[in-house]
Amino acid sequence: MQFSLHPRLEADTTVLGDFPLCRVLLSKEALGPWIILVPRKAELREIHHLPQEEQFQLMRESSAVAGLLETQFQADKINVGALGNLVPQLHLHHIARFKEDIAWPGPVWGNTDGTQRSEAVQQALAEELQALMAELDGFVAAAL
């Protein structure tokens, strides 16, 4: 079976590119920079289902994204989470949080109004993130 994105992830994100293990997505949610990593493995639901070396690779990729969001956007906190209650495909959210965001200090789930960025703003942020991520080991940008 081949890897494909869950339809909800496909609808709610823009593909930025790929790391060696993960597809890199930008959420359309207007909360701030919100990157989602999805290991390119068919039928994968849990981190512990990955072989150990791929678990380590996932952590390397996740740490690179979290560090980029923290330093480049001066985030007050980086939220990293893998819930999967609505979308069972394994995916890790990396959300740059700011004391002035709509959900602060609570979790984003259930605490935002669901507003999405305009297409122009989403495109500009995607281009900015791709340029920043080009410096990260193994990142290959997708066509926007």
Side-chain angles (χ1 to χ4, degrees), residues 20-123:
L21 178 63
C22 294
R23 172 91 7 109
V24 183
L25 310 173
L26 173 62
S27 173
K28 294 177 181 175
E29 177 91 27
L31 184 68
W34 182 333
I35 294 176
I36 301 169
L37 297 181
V38 184
R40 292 186 317 277
K41 301 285 181 176
E43 305 290 320
L44 185 63
R45 296 172 70 93
E46 305 292 346
I47 294 171
H48 63 272
H49 293 166
L50 286 166
Q52 188 175 51
E53 184 51 43
E54 289 181 347
Q55 291 177 32
F56 294 154
Q57 182 62 32
L58 178 59
M59 287 293 93
R60 285 189 287 270
E61 294 174 11
S62 176
S63 293
V65 167
L68 180 140
L69 291 175
E70 180 181 44
T71 59
Q72 295 298 320
F73 295 93
Q74 292 79 50
D76 293 310
K77 179 73 175 107
I78 303 298
N79 289 175
V80 177
L83 289 93
N85 298 344
L86 295 176
V87 176
Q89 180 177 43
L90 177 61
H91 60 290
L92 271 69
H93 297 268
H94 299 74
I95 309 165
R97 298 295 306 279
F98 302 92
K99 291 178 181 171
E100 63 274 1
D101 76 42
I102 191 171
W104 187 270
V108 297
W109 288 273
N111 290 314
T112 68
D113 60 11
T115 300
Q116 292 190 344
R117 289 182 201 91
S118 70
E119 286 185 37
V121 171
Q122 180 75 357
Q123 178 74 17

